[in-house]
Amino acid sequence: MKPFEYARATGPAEAVRDYTPGTMYLGGGTNLVDLMKLGVAEPDRLLDVSRLPLDGIEEARDRVRVGATVRNTDLAAHPLIRARYPMLARAVLTGASGQVRNVATVAGNLLQRTRCTYFQDVTRPCNKRRPGSGCPAIAGDHANLAILGASDACVATHPSDLAVALAALDAEVHVTGPGGDRIVPMPGLHRLPGHEPERDTVLAPGDLITGVELPPPPPGASLYRKVRERASFAFALVSIAAVLDVAADGTVADCRIALGGVAHVPWRAERAERALIGGPATGEAFLQAAEAELEQAAPLPRNAYKVPLARNLIVATLEELAP
Amino acid sequence: MNRVEGRVKVTGLATYAAEYPAENVAYAYPVQAQIAKGRVKRIDVAQALELPGVLAVLSCEDPPRVAEDADPELALFQRRDVAYRGQFVAAVVADTYENARAAAAAVRVDYDPDDHDVRLSADHPGLYRPDVVNPGFPTDTAKGDVEAGLAQAATTVDVTYETPVLHNNPMEPHAALAFWDAEGRLLVYDTAQGASGSRAAIAKTLGLPPDRVRVVSRHVGGGFGAKGTTRPQAVLAALAAREVRRPVKIALTRHQMFDVTGYRTPTIQRVRIGADAEGRLTALEHVAYEQTSTLLEFAEQTAVVGRVMYATPNLRTAHRLVRLDVSTPSWMRAPGECPGMYALESAMDELAYAAGLDPVELRVRNDPETEPEGGLPFSSRNLVGCLREGARRFGWERRDPAPGIRREGEWLVGTGVAASTYPARRMPCQAVATVRDGDFLVQVAAADIGTGARTALTRIAAGALGVAPDRVHVELGDSDLPRAPVAGGSMGTASWGSAVVRACEELRRDGREGRADTTEEIKRDAELARHAFGAQFAEVRVSSVTGEVRVSRLLGVFAAGHIVDAKLARSQFLGGMTMGMGMALMEETPIDEEFGGFLHRDLAQYHVPVCADARHVEAVWLEEHDDALNPMGSKGIGEIGIVGTAAAIGNAVFHATGHRVRELPITPAKILAPRF
Ligand SMILES: Cc1cc2nc3c(=O)[nH]c(=O)nc-3n(C[C@H](O)[C@H](O)[C@H](O)COP(=O)(O)OP(=O)(O)OC[C@H]3O[C@@H](n4cnc5c(N)ncnc54)[C@H](O)[C@@H]3O)c2cc1C
Ligand code: SF4
């Protein structure tokens, strides 16, 4: 582990001002410190933002603002979240373990890095960790990697459950940085790997996430479901966050579907949504929509199971949500 | 009985190997090979030596002295050849762990890499027939004529199963702390499943007489076989301490444990069985293909289970190995029986379906009079009793055998059964019992690796002395104590307990002291087939949407002689069964074909069951009276719990879905692949 300095930020603006290349913001450290021990992250300096006064969950008219340093446990347990966004609470609770969630922050969760095994091992090549070194996952171990939106350079997935729920809820990520304040709408925070797999997100150096804003809960019923071979404490093979609103005449008034475990980003299934809205809320329509979405899938030999898995999951979840 | 050391453990007072305080202690950190095969051209330590706190670098550039006949996995830094990725090629010794680790990263190793081969297959050109398989069984056996038996069968199955690399993953990492005294005597606090054996192995590796070495392992945080033989960390601590003339401590990281502390070999197993119209076996053939390293031969005894389980006139078992550029496989809970019974008991289930017979009934019909291969009489055998009792408790008679027809919403429900078996052995052991302050001190170099051995021996000694357990103090985990065999092969309690009982009997006669050595007694043991048996029943739910498998019920019924302590036994059975569930559904260490070595070397990637997976796991046993075992009448129970579990679960998955997965683990990917 490379020696580093540690400092505690005094405020969001101060943190950004204090940022220098080589600095990394520190949240709960549950991902970053692991990666430092592995030699994957080698900051010169950690700027601890976990104690910034960004730990509130507040109502602002019909919206809810969640601070960046709110711990995952507190987010999932908060009455406002449980009452209005139960799907979000459920997504958070399916992540990691109680101990990890007690420490992990909202911002840190969104910015956690891929669990691709090569990425985590500095003795092996990886384009994301060492640009240009190659992507051994494509010929090797990719059983839990991407089927959608991957590139020849990288087939990693983003592992967060929280991000998938936020993508379905059209949440906004609030960012402050050297370039000023801005709002990044989900799922736009994360980017596809393309030729620059080293860049997970659209954030620029020094950008600090200050919070997440949730628009009013969409009408209809919602659900988060996560698939894994172990009953708890495992990353998703595939997960789904879905909202379905069916009108009185049986047609789909509104629909949001986001998938986890399938791409470098929380994958908003826009094709499926478009196919469904205005049409009948039937099992057949759900299947056609799922297939329309997954037509774009480009699976590898060992993750091809994710295509039927995602398809089944979309159909079963929408069926469960349909009245 | 509650653990006698329970209080010191839960209050953090129990001292494990890496925790002993030592003045002026230095730390060793290994440098690992980054190629899978080839030679070390040059090791440049100049930069590492300049770093703060660095005391020495050990490597093949200046090989430390070890015995010529040392085990090649323990003869550190003797050769330039790299046998596998992750092998220790150098080590840094420094004043702190952090400095040692930082300097290890600064050691420059140049390699001449060769092409490597890390992939096991049943048609590998390098397959060969080892002379014997562990721990000394014949490699192949043949009785009758299997082809003829198959030809006359009314029903046959010919199926191949695969099991992956599995890692033991004890909670406590492998660690050691070594001291040399001025007279050249060595003391090692080691994470060993046997202090006597560890002393012998370390002494042999260093070319020292055993009486110059002492190994202490008072508490060990799990081993499951991975600490059954001495691992490199103990030798490295000793070599490093000799080099820097200070005590040296080492604790392996989880990654390093995956690399150098052994694993269960992957297996490919072909099983052919024939049965007549009544379901009696006309032939059984079991051939296992497995790997070992280029350094050492480790021949897992996977196919021996067929020699014990079922009556058949025509029986063939065989093992083939291939030497790959991998670390040497090693002992893991129920080596041989565990993977072997997965294949045999899955095949028996396939046969039951093919023959239209109930799988419990099929096994009952083929229960042998004497051991099928050798013909020896069994000292006791209660497989049928376990099957019947399990069937009764599990509600088996209500089962409809038709696969793929029970649904609860999206969940397909199924049940399965499999048999368990494990040998009941004992080994020569010594023990001493003395009166101390009016109470009793019992000394034996046994090991308590979390199993409760200390507690079991306390109870055994109290019984033999006719006193309350709280008047007995058992001292173990030190090679200075009377010599004892390893905590392995499910023979710990049987071996140590025999010596403890004899020592206590002697003490009762003598009034002050009793000394025992069971070598002669064991030589006189009658020639019998001694095995524990069991039956495991599983109920699973398989999602027709996601392919997830959840085990809603697991029941094990065991016949393992006299159970010394119900509480300890139950936790051994449940632990074994839960580990078997991990093998069935999630455990697997992928081999990196491109770069060699293993992928998924941490517990976030190598999944073992969590509490949410073990929803309803139950273990019960039949009291068994068997005078031909040992003074306690006990059979080992540490391993049988994992034997058969994976088959029971796999059979239940078939019953639920109608789809047979023949490669472990049974993941959603494999469930989804052909079916939904
Ligand atoms: C064994 C294990 C299992 C897990 N399983 C799951 C799972 O199933 N599902 C799941 O979703 N997650 C899972 N996780 C991941 C866990 O959720 C993340 O580690 C955690 O959410 C990260 O939060 P943190 O606050 O600790 O982030 P840190 O580790 O502190 O930081 C992560 C990244 O975010 C950056 N960062 C932190 N705060 C800010 C900020 N305010 N602005 C800008 N950048 C910032 C850091 O620089 C760093 O790059 C698991 C983790 C472990 C160890
Ligand atoms: S998939 Fe991405 S993260 Fe994984 S090895 Fe390839 S480049 Fe690296």
Side-chain angles (χ1 to χ4, degrees):
Chain A
M1 190 161 166
K2 203 179 90 174
F4 60 92
E5 274 176 46
Y6 170 89
R8 202 173 278 173
T10 50
E14 290 80 357
V16 171
R17 208 180 316 125
D18 211 12
Y19 177 88
T20 48
T23 295
M24 287 186 82
Y25 298 133
L26 177 70
T30 59
N31 187 226
L32 180 53
V33 174
D34 275 5
L35 292 176
M36 289 168 69
K37 288 190 205 158
L38 294 169
V40 174
E42 297 199 295
D44 301 318
R45 182 157 164 271
L46 287 184
L47 193 51
D48 186 347
V49 296
S50 70
R51 293 172 218 222
L52 291 182
L54 300 171
D55 59 349
I57 298 181
E58 281 142 29
E59 232 177 322
R61 273 169 303 171
D62 52 356
R63 302 167 76 87
V64 172
R65 177 96 207 252
V66 179
T69 64
V70 169
R71 308 290 162 163
N72 286 194
T73 297
D74 298 331
L75 175 63
H78 199 279
L80 268 179
I81 302 298
R82 293 179 52 157
R84 289 199 207 167
Y85 310 96
M87 177 253 273
L88 175 62
R90 184 127 164 216
V92 173
L93 288 177
T94 65
S97 64
Q99 292 91 332
V100 173
R101 293 193 300 268
N102 287 343
V103 181
T105 63
V106 165
N109 187 309
L110 293 178
L111 298 181
Q112 65 176 299
R113 311 219 57 196
T114 184
R115 308 302 292 200
C116 172
T117 191
Y118 303 97
F119 174 73
Q120 298 180 74
D121 181 350
V122 295
T123 70
R124 288 172 164 93
C126 164
N127 282 331
K128 185 183 277 298
R129 182 168 33 74
R130 215 173 341 119
S133 61
C135 173
I138 291 171
D141 178 27
H142 53 247
N144 198 20
L145 300 184
I147 54 168
L148 287 160
S151 72
D152 290 347
C154 178
V155 294
T157 43
H158 192 263
S160 165
D161 290 296
L162 170 65
V164 179
L166 293 181
L169 292 170
D170 286 338
E172 293 170 344
V173 179
H174 289 223
V175 178
T176 180
D181 295 351
R182 66 188 204 282
I183 288 175
V184 182
M186 287 294 280
L189 177 66
H190 301 89
R191 57 182 293 287
L192 291 176
H195 299 300
E196 288 178 293
E198 66 278 16
R199 289 182 54 212
D200 289 358
T201 68
V202 300
L203 297 185
D207 277 349
L208 179 80
I209 294 181
T210 54
V212 170
E213 195 164 304
L214 301 166
S222 66
L223 206 62
Y224 188 79
R225 182 164 176 192
K226 176 173 178 180
V227 180
R228 41 196 167 164
E229 89 291 6
R230 165 162 97 173
S232 174
F233 207 7
F235 289 95
L237 300 175
V238 176
S239 68
I240 183 169
V243 188
L244 183 69
D245 184 28
V246 180
D249 65 357
T251 61
V252 175
D254 191 19
C255 171
R256 320 227 190 133
I257 302 168
L259 298 173
V262 295
H264 201 255
V265 301
W267 185 267
R268 190 69 187 257
E270 285 165 9
R271 286 194 192 185
E273 293 175 6
R274 273 199 305 273
L276 283 168
I277 291 174
T282 59
E284 201 181 320
F286 299 152
L287 180 60
Q288 277 171 10
E291 279 175 350
E293 188 64 42
L294 292 162
E295 252 168 35
Q296 326 159 64
L300 295 162
R302 279 178 280 273
N303 67 7
Y305 72 94
K306 286 192 177 188
V307 177
L309 175 51
R311 181 198 64 210
N312 293 355
L313 201 55
I314 292 172
V315 174
T317 306
L318 295 177
E319 280 181 340
E320 195 172 337
L321 290 174
Chain B
M1 192 169 143
N2 285 333
R3 307 281 171 122
V4 294
E5 78 286 7
R7 200 181 178 84
V8 296
K9 274 191 177 158
V10 298
T11 52
L13 296 173
T15 311
Y16 291 80
E19 299 176 331
Y20 283 87
E23 241 172 76
N24 200 30
V25 66
Y27 295 80
Y29 196 91
V31 177
Q32 299 181 261
Q34 291 190 18
I35 60 167
K37 186 186 185 185
R39 277 173 66 78
V40 170
K41 251 199 310 208
R42 200 173 94 88
I43 296 189
D44 179 358
V45 300
Q47 204 190 333
L49 282 172
E50 308 244 302
L51 289 175
V54 174
L55 302 168
V57 180
L58 282 67
S59 82
C60 60
E61 295 295 350
D62 180 12
R65 229 172 343 93
V66 306
E68 266 170 28
D69 60 346
D71 169 337
E73 285 276 14
L74 300 180
L76 298 175
F77 320 133
Q78 300 301 298
R79 302 171 354 145
R80 289 184 169 270
D81 303 295
V82 172
Y84 58 91
R85 188 185 180 95
Q87 190 178 13
F88 291 176
V89 293
V92 174
V93 194
D95 58 345
T96 66
Y97 179 78
E98 292 75 14
N99 281 339
R101 186 169 179 157
V107 172
R108 294 277 154 264
V109 186
D110 285 335
Y111 301 97
D112 257 334
D114 285 339
D115 290 343
H116 61 262
D117 177 6
V118 296
R119 193 164 162 267
L120 173 68
S121 65
D123 56 2
H124 195 287
L127 284 168
Y128 72 99
R129 186 181 170 283
D131 290 340
V132 289
V133 295
N134 299 328
F137 289 116
T139 303
D140 297 351
T141 61
K143 178 178 93 170
D145 181 344
V146 165
E147 298 305 333
L150 288 170
Q152 76 190 66
T155 315
T156 58
V157 295
D158 177 352
V159 278
T160 300
Y161 301 91
E162 293 184 23
T163 63
V165 170
L166 298 171
H167 273 86
N168 314 51
N169 275 313
M171 241 198 295
E172 179 202 26
H174 290 66
L177 166 61
F179 299 82
W180 293 86
D181 72 10
E183 280 78 51
R185 282 184 302 238
L186 173 65
L187 165 63
V188 184
Y189 291 95
D190 186 16
T191 48
Q193 285 179 228
S196 304
S198 176
R199 172 176 75 169
I202 293 171
K204 177 172 182 241
T205 307
L206 300 180
L208 291 171
D211 62 6
R212 315 278 294 171
V213 179
R214 179 177 170 205
V215 170
V216 176
S217 316
R218 288 198 184 99
H219 296 286
V220 179
F224 310 111
K227 298 167 182 171
T229 47
T230 300
R231 307 313 304 165
Q233 92 284 350
V235 174
L236 178 52
L239 293 175
R242 191 175 69 190
E243 180 71 23
V244 302
R245 298 170 176 279
R246 284 166 68 164
V248 169
K249 194 179 270 194
I250 173 168
L252 299 188
T253 64
R254 187 63 58 180
H255 283 140
Q256 290 161 353
M257 289 169 70
F258 273 84
D259 296 332
V260 304
T261 70
Y263 58 93
R264 196 196 296 286
T265 177
T267 70
I268 301 168
Q269 303 177 56
R270 183 172 180 203
V271 182
R272 295 197 295 162
I273 316 182
D276 66 17
E278 279 76 53
R280 296 208 167 69
L281 301 198
T282 56
L284 168 60
E285 183 189 61
H286 188 169
V287 185
Y289 303 91
E290 321 176 322
Q291 72 189 35
T292 187
S293 70
T294 58
L295 291 175
L296 264 181
E297 183 176 277
F298 183 91
E300 178 126 346
Q301 67 273 39
T302 303
V304 300
V305 291
R307 304 173 190 174
V308 176
M309 285 307 296
Y310 300 115
T312 176
N314 304 299
L315 173 65
R316 178 173 173 254
T317 62
H319 299 83
R320 296 294 177 267
L321 284 190
V322 57
R323 292 186 181 276
L324 298 175
D325 302 311
V326 296
S327 59
T328 313
S330 188
W331 311 101
M332 179 163 169
R333 205 171 199 169
E337 274 75 14
C338 174
M341 284 292 272
Y342 162 65
L344 178 59
E345 290 300 289
S346 302
M348 285 295 280
D349 198 64
E350 301 209 39
L351 179 70
Y353 274 99
L357 272 174
D358 176 72
V360 168
E361 191 51 37
L362 174 69
R363 288 173 172 87
V364 171
R365 271 189 209 176
N366 287 288
D367 201 52
E369 290 290 319
T370 57
E371 202 180 37
E373 173 54 36
L376 284 176
F378 289 99
S379 67
S380 56
R381 175 179 173 116
N382 275 310
L383 174 58
V384 171
C386 292
L387 287 162
R388 295 261 190 249
E389 175 64 10
R392 188 185 69 74
R393 286 175 177 262
F394 201 72
W396 189 259
E397 69 279 7
R398 292 190 299 275
R399 178 182 191 257
D400 178 342
I405 57 166
R406 284 149 303 273
R407 248 179 196 275
E408 288 174 14
E410 71 177 58
W411 298 87
L412 301 167
V413 183
T415 51
V417 64
S420 309
T421 184
Y422 200 78
R425 288 184 278 248
R426 61 173 179 159
M427 297 259 283
C429 181
Q430 301 172 350
V432 175
T434 46
V435 177
R436 191 182 66 172
D437 307 332
D439 281 345
F440 302 93
L441 174 66
V442 172
Q443 295 171 302
V444 54
D448 191 328
I449 57 173
T451 53
R454 197 181 262 109
T455 310
L457 292 176
T458 301
R459 193 157 170 181
I460 289 169
L465 292 167
V467 303
D470 63 2
R471 293 191 56 202
V472 175
H473 178 75
V474 171
E475 217 181 301
L476 49 69
D478 186 335
S479 66
D480 274 0
L481 296 170
R483 187 155 41 94
V486 66
S490 291
M491 61 191 178
T493 304
S495 309
W496 313 321
S498 296
V500 165
V501 167
R502 298 299 176 232
C504 291
E505 288 168 353
E506 180 66 24
L507 168 62
R508 288 182 80 158
R509 281 193 291 274
D510 181 83
R512 291 177 41 204
E513 188 186 84
R515 289 178 172 274
D517 182 335
T518 57
T519 310
E520 292 307 315
E521 172 178 335
I522 288 173
K523 273 191 202 151
R524 292 192 302 271
D525 279 348
E527 243 207 288
L528 288 169
R530 295 179 178 82
H531 304 272
F533 291 92
Q536 303 213 25
F537 293 79
E539 179 187 81
V540 303
R541 284 170 158 63
V542 183
S543 167
S544 58
V545 173
T546 65
E548 288 163 297
V549 181
R550 301 286 182 251
V551 179
S552 43
R553 276 199 296 155
L554 203 53
L555 168 70
V557 181
F558 301 96
H562 171 65
I563 296 299
V564 171
D565 185 277
K567 195 177 233 177
L568 298 175
R570 190 167 172 274
S571 80
Q572 283 300 302
F573 290 135
L574 296 185
M577 291 164 69
T578 306
M579 204 164 172
M581 181 196 298
M583 174 186 183
L585 301 180
M586 58 194 84
E587 293 188 40
E588 167 173 32
T589 315
I591 292 180
D592 187 341
E593 288 188 24
E594 184 171 4
F595 303 106
F598 298 119
L599 299 164
H600 300 195
R601 295 176 303 144
D602 60 48
L603 294 173
Q605 297 184 83
Y606 185 96
H607 285 171
V608 299
V610 293
C611 292
D613 293 294
R615 289 174 198 199
H616 196 280
V617 184
E618 194 189 349
V620 296
W621 49 87
L622 310 178
E623 242 335 287
E624 207 177 39
H625 299 282
D626 185 337
D627 296 332
L629 299 167
N630 53 56
M632 294 78 61
S634 66
K635 296 175 178 175
I637 55 168
E639 293 167 274
I640 191 167
I642 196 178
V643 179
T645 324
I649 291 172
N651 296 341
V653 168
F654 173 78
H655 185 231
T657 63
H659 171 52
R660 184 74 66 175
V661 177
R662 297 195 181 89
E663 289 120 59
L664 295 184
I666 304 169
T667 56
K670 291 175 197 161
I671 297 278
L672 287 175
R675 189 182 153 87
F676 301 112

